[in-house]
Amino acid sequence: MTTPHALNTDQARTRLHELIVLDVRTPGEYATGHLPAALNIPLDHLDRALPDIRHAAQRGDILLVCASGARSENACHTLAAHGITTATLAGGTGAWTADGHTLHRPEKARRTAWSMERQVRLTAGTVVLTGLALGRLRPAFRLASAGIAGGLAFSALTNTCGMAAVLAKLPHNRPHQGDLEATLAALRNH
């Protein structure tokens, strides 16, 4: 592969026409806006898509994209473990838009979904507040708040997020039947 492990937004923009862009966010996040010509393969579906990604990597360089760069970096490591070399977009779609580049927004996009980061913040905040409120009745409920605090610290140290992995399995974050198959077919024909 001729691309480095991470491309900044300007490097990606100038090479966009020659890159195979895979967006590893949830389908809901992808529908809110993605890089032009990006195909959506959610992070938790990479294993299923491995043969098609491997085949695509033989035809061109692959750029992985997510909201901030963390999930796409994890996807790079996962694919590297299977012998597939890829690059990630440094800073993700957040950096892309911050640098003045536009995102493609499908006209028939499903409802606007929250980013995974926002979903995690809402869930973590709700559990902490509930644990503190119920802790007034029974101190043991405060353990839920402590558990979330520990999980957030672990998440920061390891650059992973268990809560995001759980939330990604909710129906509104899952691809609709046939969406992934259509994406894999498009990847095969890319």
Side-chain angles (χ1 to χ4, degrees):
M1 177 172 202
T2 58
T3 57
H5 180 67
L7 296 176
N8 66 38
T9 59
D10 289 330
Q11 292 170 319
R13 185 186 49 76
T14 58
R15 294 198 51 211
L16 202 55
H17 65 282
E18 65 187 55
L19 294 169
I20 299 167
V21 182
L22 302 179
D23 192 317
V24 297
R25 297 176 298 160
T26 66
E29 291 176 294
Y30 173 82
T32 65
H34 53 272
L35 270 66
L39 299 171
N40 183 223
I41 301 178
L43 184 60
D44 60 340
H45 284 80
L46 277 183
D47 287 340
R48 180 174 173 202
L50 276 173
D52 295 311
I53 295 171
R54 181 175 285 111
H55 181 69
Q58 294 169 353
R59 295 188 321 269
D61 293 343
I62 295 180
L63 177 67
L64 299 174
V65 179
C66 68
S68 67
R71 284 180 277 178
S72 59
E73 187 175 329
N74 288 340
C76 279
H77 293 300
T78 298
L79 293 173
H82 292 281
I84 303 169
T85 305
T86 58
T88 184
L89 178 63
T93 57
W96 182 265
T97 57
D99 286 346
H101 307 303
T102 59
L103 294 176
H104 174 72
R105 289 182 170 79
E107 290 181 26
K108 295 183 179 183
R110 291 177 262 171
R111 72 197 179 291
T112 302
W114 285 7
S115 70
M116 186 56 66
E117 179 186 351
R118 187 175 180 191
Q119 292 179 52
V120 167
R121 288 192 321 249
L122 173 71
T123 304
T126 301
V127 172
V128 168
L129 287 174
T130 302
L132 291 174
L134 292 176
R136 299 192 73 168
L137 302 172
R138 293 236 161 118
F141 282 112
R142 292 184 187 143
L143 292 175
S145 299
I148 294 296
L152 290 172
F154 180 79
S155 176
L157 292 172
T158 62
N159 199 27
T160 61
C161 186
M163 187 178 292
V166 171
L167 292 173
K169 297 189 182 311
L170 293 175
H172 66 276
N173 285 326
R174 308 295 304 157
H176 286 157
Q177 188 68 14
D179 285 355
L180 184 59
E181 286 304 320
T183 297
L184 295 177
L187 184 59
R188 284 182 220 117
N189 296 324
H190 198 278

